[in-house]
Amino acid sequence: MTDSMGRTWMGHPRLGILRWDPSGRKLVQEVGTGGVPSGVHSAFRIREDASGRIWAATTLGLYVRERSGNWRLFTEKEGILPFGLFGMAFLPDGTAWIFSREPQGLMRIRIDGDQLVVLESRRAGQGIHSDRIYAVEVDPQGRTWASTDHGFDCLDTRLHVGRLEGTISEDCNIQALLAEKGRIWVGTSAGLIRYEVGIEEPPAVAPLPSILQVMKGDRRVDAP
């Protein structure tokens, strides 16, 4: 992921969070494996929020890098989903959906300074058809889409797309989700799906009246 300052961030399957330093032409290990008994720290998704903070979903939890350069780790102790995270997606109001590597549904959070606030949780039957989440994206209209092992869902409209709706497979792939304006791309174990959402027509512009004739009593006068 390349952020707004031109820095490129990478998640490593064992070594944590890396940053490419173009001036020195080398990789800098921002967050490594220090204090991890297994010596393995996997980072799966890195994103930048509207305020310039870097978020990383890892096996240890949620890492957030402030603009000052300081990293903070949020774990199950702060209320987020246990067993490590797979990813996150930001909503227009600054909150974020996060999801775990284990089948635990979705959680919406907000970070205020050093505090993580859990706003809501979603499980199967609450706008999603499965607790096993593979990817989450927010489209340009602010709607949240989640792909699972049972098709994909739009949380805002309670729309579900699966076998009955014509998908080639309901088994979606990890992180294989792209939400564009009016179009959702989903990678599955049997191929690629393009789902046309449909874009609402803008409201019609009210017609402007034109005065053609003015009558005063039974006498016609010039229109203004």
Side-chain angles (χ1 to χ4, degrees), residues 169-220:
S169 170
E170 291 190 338
D171 185 21
C172 300
N173 291 335
I174 297 173
Q175 310 292 14
L177 177 63
L178 175 66
E180 298 178 323
K181 185 177 182 179
R183 184 174 295 167
I184 307 299
W185 298 87
V186 185
T188 76
S189 58
L192 181 65
I193 295 171
R194 188 187 76 218
Y195 181 75
E196 300 288 341
V197 181
I199 303 174
E200 295 181 0
E201 293 292 331
V205 178
L208 296 175
S210 296
I211 299 176
L212 303 177
Q213 181 177 318
V214 178
M215 300 293 294
K216 185 177 182 179
D218 57 358
R219 182 171 60 88
R220 179 172 176 175

Side-chain angles (χ1 to χ4, degrees), residues 1 24 37 44 47 52 60 79 87 105 110 119 146 149 163 171 176 182 191 195:
M1 187 276 297
F44 298 104
R47 284 182 164 170
L60 300 183
R110 182 180 68 243
L119 301 172
D149 59 340
R163 282 279 192 187
D171 185 21
Y195 181 75

